[in-house]
Amino acid sequence: MSHVFPRHTKANLPTAVGGDGCYLIDSTGKRYFDGSGGAAVSCLGHSDAAVIAAVQQQVGQLAFAHTGFMTSEPAEALADLLIANAPGDLDRVYFVSGGSEATEAAIKLARQYFLEKGEPERRHLIARRQSYHGNTLGALAAGGNAWRRQQFDPLLIGVSHIAPCYEYVDRAEGESSFDYGQRAADELEAEILRLGPETVMAFMAEPVVGATSGAVPAVEGYFKRIREICDKYGVLLILDEVMCGMGRTGHLFACDADGVAPDILCIAKGLGAGYQPIGAMLCSRQIYAAIEGGSGFFQHGHTYIGHPVATAAGLAVVSQMLERDLVTRCAAMGDRLQSALQERFGQHPNVGDIRGRGLFRGIELVRDRDSKTPFDPSLGLAAKIKKAAFEAGLICYPMSGTRDGRNGDHILLAPPFIISGDQITEVVDKLDVAITQSLPQG
């Protein structure tokens, strides 16, 4: 009998015993193609020799040093590498152990920044509906997914939520893509004015929405307008790239595709590629200077921040991405994956949209293509597809609640950057089997 507290007590999970490139292997020897990289984590696959060697070397040299007393060489080197490649004025890196910690730290830093500046009235955070920013209470409050929030609503801080940039569903007939994006972005200005500009501290968003909506990118011009609005009212822009960052969308930092730079940026998942738990919050020179020139102390922290073994793994992962030009490969293979998905499912009567960037692709399923009507949630379509794909030897990331936290179903794909052309065919073939088996008949 297991004493592990699982994600679902009624699930009977196989035991993973090995990893081989893009595949996971269970205790029976069955191989599963990791088509979602876990949760967009395993960007280098499961057996990268250089990363494994870096972890082994570091743990043999220095396993742990608490950052209240010492820094470490791998933490310093990884911070230097990230900042050398980061957009805009990002200048400092605060290491954590995962995505929720990164977004939680970002929210707290935004608040303290304005306290240090003598603007204590700035306390409001604005985010978007159908966003996901993590599962700690602050991050969960920022997230706009009703299903995830429901049980814990009484415990959550108040956060305003505006509409997402979700062109497939929300762009009006006859409206251009650009005009739709400007209209969606202008909701931010309206909400800032409603709350009072002097009371708003930050706006938080994912450049490409991941888990809750299925790889939904913003339309051209949306984030540039968002940046303008934030600058106009002195509001910090926090971009959550926990899932979509670190090369996943064909750019090392996802916001580069939109031509904007945030004041605070959050990364995780692909930063450690699954070899160690690690995340990071990057902030601008201006924000750091306010803390440095004020109290000097960011009133936050966790025991394992800046962990030497985790940062050594992150350093090896990012180095591999850059030295092997894997981000460019991700963009190219992402185009091939998109083409394969379009060829197989582009005219499927129950596939409404195929979208994304790089190796971050979403397929939205609908009961009717013309009206874009989703399936009845009682069908549990996403769960059925996940199970059928798993049985076929494909790990993918289907989710329900795509539209509003309850209605809608999508499949998220985020395979390792080392995926081959033959493996793209394998993914599409197995996904086709799973979708066919799971859709209601008649």
Side-chain angles (χ1 to χ4, degrees), residues 341-386:
L341 292 171
Q342 286 285 1
E343 184 177 348
R344 184 69 59 90
F345 302 114
Q347 300 304 314
H348 193 291
N350 298 118
V351 172
D353 193 28
I354 304 171
R355 57 193 177 231
R357 292 177 183 160
L359 286 170
F360 199 48
R361 299 287 165 175
I363 302 170
E364 183 163 345
L365 299 157
V366 291
R367 181 172 58 80
D368 181 79
R369 276 171 62 103
D370 293 336
S371 65
K372 303 180 182 178
T373 305
F375 283 97
D376 189 316
S378 65
L379 291 172
L381 181 58
K384 290 177 180 177
I385 292 173
K386 180 179 180 180

Side-chain angles (χ1 to χ4, degrees), residues 145-168:
N145 182 262
W147 175 74
R148 285 174 167 83
R149 293 169 53 96
Q150 185 176 3
Q151 295 188 70
F152 308 104
D153 256 341
L155 308 178
L156 303 180
I157 60 170
V159 174
S160 297
H161 291 93
I162 62 172
C165 188
Y166 187 7
E167 183 181 18
Y168 172 64

Side-chain angles (χ1 to χ4, degrees), residues 102-254:
T103 54
E104 196 89 10
I107 295 167
K108 292 176 77 173
L109 181 62
R111 171 61 179 163
Q112 186 171 336
Y113 167 70
F114 284 111
L115 288 175
E116 301 275 3
K117 285 188 65 185
E119 299 181 54
E121 65 279 4
R122 287 196 185 259
R123 62 191 185 278
H124 290 302
L125 174 66
I126 302 172
R128 302 189 296 184
R129 295 190 294 276
Q130 278 305 90
S131 58
Y132 179 65
H133 299 297
N135 257 336
T136 53
L137 289 176
L140 188 62
N145 182 262
W147 175 74
R148 285 174 167 83
R149 293 169 53 96
Q150 185 176 3
Q151 295 188 70
F152 308 104
D153 256 341
L155 308 178
L156 303 180
I157 60 170
V159 174
S160 297
H161 291 93
I162 62 172
C165 188
Y166 187 7
E167 183 181 18
Y168 172 64
V169 172
D170 291 339
R171 180 164 64 89
E173 187 175 351
E175 185 177 32
S176 73
S177 180
F178 179 83
D179 287 346
Y180 161 67
Q182 300 301 290
R183 175 169 64 85
D186 284 344
E187 283 201 25
L188 174 60
E189 183 169 37
E191 184 61 13
I192 290 172
L193 293 173
R194 187 187 74 82
L195 293 168
E198 71 285 353
T199 72
V200 179
M201 65 179 189
F203 173 66
M204 178 182 281
E206 302 159 89
V208 182
V209 183
T212 54
S213 295
V216 177
V219 299
E220 184 179 355
Y222 171 83
F223 272 110
K224 286 187 176 180
R225 177 62 182 143
I226 289 290
R227 180 74 267 184
E228 289 175 359
I229 294 167
C230 288
D231 290 344
K232 180 178 180 180
Y233 296 102
V235 171
L236 297 179
L237 175 59
I238 302 172
L239 291 183
D240 174 357
E241 297 197 4
V242 167
M243 186 171 257
C244 64
M246 290 292 94
R248 174 56 62 188
T249 61
H251 300 267
L252 188 62
F253 293 92

Side-chain angles (χ1 to χ4, degrees), residues 74-107:
E76 295 290 338
L78 178 55
D80 288 347
L81 184 60
L82 289 171
I83 293 305
N85 290 278
D89 194 35
L90 296 176
D91 189 61
R92 293 284 174 156
V93 182
Y94 189 92
F95 290 113
V96 291
S97 297
S100 295
E101 286 186 20
T103 54
E104 196 89 10
I107 295 167

Side-chain angles (χ1 to χ4, degrees), residues 413-428:
L413 296 172
F417 301 170
I418 60 173
I419 189 173
S420 68
D422 287 346
Q423 288 169 338
I424 286 176
T425 301
E426 178 185 351
V427 168
V428 174

